[in-house]
Amino acid sequence: MPENATATAPTRALRLGVAGPVGTGKSSLIATLCRALSGELSLGVITNDIYTDEDARFLRSAGVLDPERIRPVETGACPHTAIRDDVTANLLAAEDLEADFGPLDLVIIESGGDNLTATFSPALVDAQLFVLDVAGGGDVVRKGGPGIARADLLVINKTDLGVHVGVDVDRMTREGREARQGAPVVALSRHDEASVQLLTGWVRDTLAHYRTGAHTPVDPGPMAPHFHAGHEGEPHPHTHAGGTTHAHDHAAEPAGQRA
């Protein structure tokens, strides 16, 4: 559990994770945050890519921060391994940023593009947002997953494209709120200043709460509830490493394979 899980004043920057599938606009969202907040907050950014530093180069070329404040991590494996399974490389990068430019207010950590199960370990980030985009289809939000359902914020990105890809943005946003049982959702277009203000407002509010020492990182869980084939057609709950409990159905399990 991070050192800021107790009700004491934090001694380091808020670490904000940004996850989501490939192409949903995570890097562009981070660039938007940096443009909007760099005048009032001291920022750093860490990007994750499997074999390249492409996302870091994109952000550096956008001129949104001092290039030295944008640090790449090459994961060498599926992106979720470096944000959930072994977070050492990202922790070291965050600590180096704080040592070089601290005190910082906010360190944004971008996951490499991954699937709907990708979430950050609470040992790495204090809060996390999950990014979908309308070009991925209006139904993707209904497919669920821990990031969609339980990240601190769900961002439905590129809303200006909805009319071009046949997606009802209002419906997608509404279904996002339903999937999250009322937890916050921001429908975002970087071309719509009102939506950008909603996003930056959420970041400011989260930072303010963090600074009181009352913010506790929440683990969205590594996977969503699901069923496996089993015996008797009766599901029963079981738990994976990491504490995720869900129902296990053995209805189709061959008799010779039962434990």
Side-chain angles (χ1 to χ4, degrees):
M1 188 62 64
E3 61 266 34
N4 296 309
T6 60
T8 58
T11 58
R12 60 161 174 78
L14 172 71
R15 294 174 187 160
L16 175 65
V18 179
V22 173
T24 54
K26 297 182 296 297
S27 298
S28 294
L29 182 151
I30 291 170
T32 297
L33 282 176
C34 290
R35 289 189 189 97
L37 296 174
S38 60
E40 63 184 273
L41 299 176
S42 182
L43 306 176
V45 174
I46 297 166
T47 66
N48 282 251
D49 281 303
I50 298 179
Y51 296 122
T52 74
D53 61 353
E54 183 172 340
D55 289 339
R57 286 188 281 114
F58 164 78
L59 290 168
R60 287 169 176 166
S61 68
V64 294
L65 283 181
D66 174 352
E68 290 302 312
R69 288 176 176 250
I70 302 169
R71 304 284 174 88
V73 169
E74 293 185 28
T75 65
C78 292
H80 65 264
T81 60
I83 66 168
R84 181 160 197 96
D85 301 329
D86 181 358
V87 301
T88 305
N90 278 287
L91 283 176
L92 290 173
E95 290 169 1
D96 286 347
L97 272 174
E98 296 251 33
D100 292 343
F101 296 102
L104 297 176
D105 297 301
L106 177 66
V107 173
I108 304 171
I109 303 176
E110 177 186 2
S111 171
D114 211 323
N115 58 34
L116 297 181
T117 68
T119 58
F120 287 83
S121 167
L124 175 59
V125 301
D126 304 291
Q128 54 191 289
L129 58 85
F130 196 83
V131 187
L132 298 176
D133 73 296
V134 299
D139 62 338
V140 68
V141 72
R142 298 195 299 272
K143 296 180 179 179
I148 292 173
R150 298 189 293 276
D152 297 274
L153 177 69
L154 174 65
V155 175
I156 296 174
N157 200 16
K158 306 179 188 178
T159 56
D160 51 301
L161 298 182
V163 65
H164 303 292
V165 294
V167 170
D168 184 334
V169 173
D170 290 339
R171 177 179 178 179
M172 189 174 180
T173 304
R174 182 177 68 253
E175 290 178 343
R177 293 194 177 99
E178 291 169 353
R180 292 170 53 77
Q181 299 182 331
V185 177
V186 168
L188 178 71
S189 167
R190 62 190 176 92
H191 304 293
D192 174 24
E193 184 58 30
S195 69
V196 173
Q197 289 178 6
L198 288 174
L199 176 63
T200 57
W202 179 88
V203 173
R204 290 187 186 95
D205 289 346
T206 301
L207 178 58
H209 188 56
Y210 171 78
R211 284 171 169 168
T212 69
H215 178 81
T216 300
V218 175
D219 188 355
M223 55 199 314
H226 60 281
F227 291 91
H228 296 284
H231 68 277
E232 307 299 333
E234 294 295 331
H236 69 268
H238 70 284
T239 303
H240 283 277
T244 303
T245 301
H246 55 148
H248 198 154
D249 180 356
H250 290 285
E253 187 176 75
Q257 295 182 13
R258 296 175 191 164

